[in-house]
Amino acid sequence: MTTYLAIFICLPPICAILALVGTFNNEILHWLHRITATIFGLAMVKLAMDFDPTQPFYNDYFYIDALSLWVMIIITTLYVAASWTAKSYLSREEKCGVLKGEQLQTGRYFALMQLFCWTMFLVLIVNNLGLMWVAIEATTLISALLISYKFTKSALEATWKYVMVCTVGICLALLGTLIMYYAQIQAMGSANALDWVYLKQHANALNPSLTKLAMLFLLVGYGTKAGMAPMHSWLPDAYAEAPSLTSGMLSGALCTCAIYVLLRNLVILLPTAGAELMSSMMVFFALLTVAIAVPFVVVQRDVKRILAYSSMENIGIMLAGVSVFTAFSLKAVMLHMYSHAMIKFVLFFMAGTIIQEYGTRNMMRIHGMLIDVPQTATFWLTGMLGILGLPPFGLFFSKFNILTAMFKSGHYIAGSLLVVLLVGVLIGILYHGMRMLSDKAKSRKPIGDLLQPIDILVLVLLLLATVVVGVGFENFGWLNHLLSQAVMIIGG
């Protein structure tokens, strides 16, 4: 395990330093980016094969169990996918005049992306809740530089909103963490301060009044980072203005990281705060998040902003699944995390490609994709069907299971409202997406399909992974065992 940790902790920063200080041309930078992510990915595969989900790794600073390993697998997959599709995407951005060659030549993008993935991994492997807060704040600082990478007026405005809103949220999360620390001192003394394992073992000793207060601040604080309403206002602007690879990582990886941190804290608070209060709060925020997303999806015109509001919908679904607190619903949430991350990365990559091909983000000006750009249209249609939760994609099974769990647990009104809201999102996305595909070309003709063979391979693998994991995870003994152990960690 020490070897794996050395790779995870040292490799991305070394690559980032080489990208910044080295006098490499773009070709070498791309291969450095790819090789680093590939070595990282191979190490993760080997770790997953060697790891026993029933035997967590634990020392003074680091902790890896089934839950953290599952999220590490998700983020590693996107990390590798983003590195192998970066060359073709960034080259097209340069040809379209969106990016300048000097911006890539400095290695700034490659360094920032490596550091962004690195900070997310630190979130997943640290044992101390205070250090976890520091790591999640570090993701904000690095991702802000990626959002503003194009350095346009709108990108800078989106970055400013992202930093301001997320800083408020992360300060609320810090306040919740401090309240939890005070509860720990009051009940157990200052030894092992904010140590997650220690707190979990003694969670019943915490003051219920303090844990309930901490839960409110932590839920709103880390929920802000995930894009939960009412602190979601940064999300549409940031996703729309960032480079599409960054948008895919923000939606698929960073959102998953924020949900993970929230779960880690809720595990400590659950015994004394009570499942009923926690469930009520999470159901409220889940329905509010999806409800706010629905009208914006219906009236949306920006091809990337509609995906941002779709992310809010899926955040709400995951919160609703966690609120039920049954093994059935929690396993569905774990599967939803994976499928949402894979499909949303595909969709943001395709949205960036569509913008490059048509020279506009306005969906009302994009028509006839099936005829003019059949490859792009195929992946766009497949991704839309996947994110809407239609079979055989993994989101169909996870959404169905989450809704089933809500009705089984007695959340009849909340479950019914969620179904109605999901229908609204489905109608909005299908309307805009199918019109883009089927109408005849009008004001704009695309320059043609721009997908490269490596892009097609990566996108196909990501989409197939959601089908395989969603349909047949129970047939893979190791995977089913890993998810079962992750569920036990969350639900006790």
Side-chain angles (χ1 to χ4, degrees):
M1 185 61 70
T2 303
T3 303
Y4 294 127
L5 286 175
I7 293 173
F8 298 151
I9 294 173
C10 298
L11 196 59
I14 291 173
C15 177
I17 293 171
L18 290 175
L20 285 174
V21 304
T23 56
F24 304 121
N25 59 35
N26 283 347
E27 187 69 21
I28 294 177
L29 286 172
H30 280 297
W31 277 108
L32 178 65
H33 192 48
R34 287 177 172 179
I35 292 172
T36 301
T38 303
I39 295 173
F40 197 104
L42 292 174
M44 181 56 62
V45 171
K46 188 67 168 59
L47 172 61
M49 293 172 60
D50 296 341
F51 190 79
D52 182 359
T54 63
Q55 300 294 326
F57 169 79
Y58 172 50
N59 63 23
D60 291 339
Y61 298 102
F62 302 110
Y63 181 77
I64 299 176
D65 59 12
L67 177 59
S68 52
L69 182 63
W70 178 241
V71 182
M72 288 166 69
I73 291 171
I74 295 173
I75 293 177
T76 300
T77 305
L78 296 187
Y79 177 27
V80 175
S83 66
W84 280 92
T85 54
K87 181 178 180 180
S88 58
Y89 174 79
L90 294 175
S91 298
R92 296 195 299 265
E93 289 283 83
E94 187 178 350
K95 289 179 181 178
C96 295
V98 179
L99 295 177
K100 297 179 180 180
E102 302 81 53
Q103 288 180 295
L104 300 177
Q105 191 67 53
T106 60
R108 187 161 56 93
Y109 170 83
F110 304 97
L112 289 174
M113 185 60 78
Q114 291 289 339
L115 291 175
F116 182 39
C117 295
W118 178 64
T119 53
M120 285 191 288
F121 273 95
L122 290 181
V123 171
L124 305 179
I125 64 176
V126 294
N127 176 53
N128 187 282
L129 293 178
L131 293 178
M132 196 177 292
W133 179 89
V134 172
I136 203 77
E137 174 66 359
T139 64
T140 302
L141 300 177
I142 300 298
S143 55
L145 297 175
L146 281 167
I147 293 170
S148 64
Y149 189 78
K150 296 177 183 179
F151 217 71
T152 60
K153 180 181 178 181
S154 55
L156 293 175
E157 289 178 354
T159 304
W160 178 254
K161 182 182 289 188
Y162 172 67
V163 171
M164 290 297 102
V165 176
C166 283
T167 298
V168 172
I170 213 70
C171 287
L172 294 176
L174 176 61
L175 182 56
T177 304
L178 293 175
I179 294 172
M180 191 187 301
Y181 178 55
Y182 178 70
Q184 178 186 356
I185 292 177
Q186 190 181 70
M188 297 166 278
S190 59
N192 300 308
L194 293 176
D195 183 282
W196 186 85
V197 175
Y198 183 76
L199 280 171
K200 186 174 187 293
Q201 292 171 348
H202 300 86
N204 288 311
L206 298 177
N207 186 316
S209 298
L210 291 175
T211 54
K212 290 175 183 178
L213 184 61
M215 181 180 64
L216 175 62
F217 285 113
L218 290 167
L219 179 58
V220 176
Y222 288 124
T224 300
K225 191 70 176 180
M228 182 186 77
M231 304 286 283
H232 67 284
S233 58
W234 65 268
L235 187 145
D237 291 334
Y239 285 17
E241 297 301 331
S244 290
L245 289 176
T246 302
S247 301
M249 293 298 291
L250 288 171
S251 179
L254 187 56
C255 167
T256 304
C257 252
I259 297 290
Y260 165 85
V261 176
L262 183 59
L263 290 174
R264 281 290 183 203
N265 283 272
L266 293 182
V267 168
I268 306 299
L269 302 172
L270 180 60
T272 51
E276 185 176 351
L277 175 62
M278 194 176 294
S279 176
S280 300
M281 290 178 60
M282 297 191 76
V283 167
F284 170 77
F285 284 114
L287 292 176
L288 178 63
T289 302
V290 181
I292 289 177
V294 172
F296 288 100
V297 166
V298 173
V299 303
Q300 195 53 243
R301 295 294 180 266
D302 190 300
V303 68
K304 292 180 71 176
R305 290 177 76 92
I306 196 171
L307 297 181
Y309 288 110
S310 170
S311 293
M312 289 180 59
E313 171 216 5
N314 284 280
I315 291 161
I317 292 171
M318 285 186 273
L319 290 175
V322 173
S323 71
V324 180
F325 283 112
T326 64
F328 184 71
S329 69
L330 292 174
K331 186 174 286 189
V333 171
M334 295 295 102
L335 293 170
H336 199 95
M337 279 185 181
Y338 182 86
S339 296
H340 171 255
M342 302 302 114
I343 295 174
K344 195 51 69 69
F345 181 88
V346 170
L347 280 172
F348 271 112
F349 185 84
M350 294 314 305
T353 304
I354 291 170
I355 294 169
Q356 291 166 344
E357 292 172 348
Y358 283 87
T360 181
R361 298 192 329 200
N362 190 336
M363 292 184 291
M364 304 306 292
R365 299 181 181 179
I366 301 173
H367 310 273
M369 287 177 57
L370 281 172
I371 297 175
D372 296 329
V373 283
Q375 288 183 351
T376 304
T378 300
F379 282 106
W380 182 245
L381 175 61
T382 306
M384 280 196 307
L385 297 178
I387 205 64
L388 290 173
L390 299 179
F393 296 99
L395 285 184
F396 168 76
F397 301 97
S398 59
K399 282 185 178 181
F400 182 82
N401 289 344
I402 288 171
L403 290 170
T404 301
M406 292 187 72
F407 285 108
K408 281 185 175 180
S409 63
H411 292 82
Y412 301 113
I413 297 177
S416 301
L417 285 173
L418 186 58
V419 170
V420 173
L421 294 172
L422 293 180
V423 170
V425 174
L426 183 144
I427 292 172
I429 292 180
L430 275 183
Y431 167 74
H432 291 295
M434 298 307 294
R435 187 192 51 74
M436 292 168 62
L437 294 169
S438 58
D439 280 5
K440 293 183 180 180
K442 297 176 183 178
S443 58
R444 286 180 179 270
K445 291 288 289 182
I447 60 178
D449 271 313
L450 296 178
L451 292 176
Q452 300 298 313
I454 188 66
D455 301 333
I456 295 174
L457 176 62
V458 171
L459 298 178
V460 167
L461 290 175
L462 292 179
L463 291 172
L464 282 178
T466 69
V467 175
V468 172
V469 171
V471 174
F473 77 94
E474 292 182 344
N475 298 320
F476 299 100
W478 174 87
L479 178 58
N480 195 25
H481 182 47
L482 178 67
L483 292 176
S484 297
Q485 291 297 318
V487 165
M488 289 179 63
I489 293 166
I490 303 170

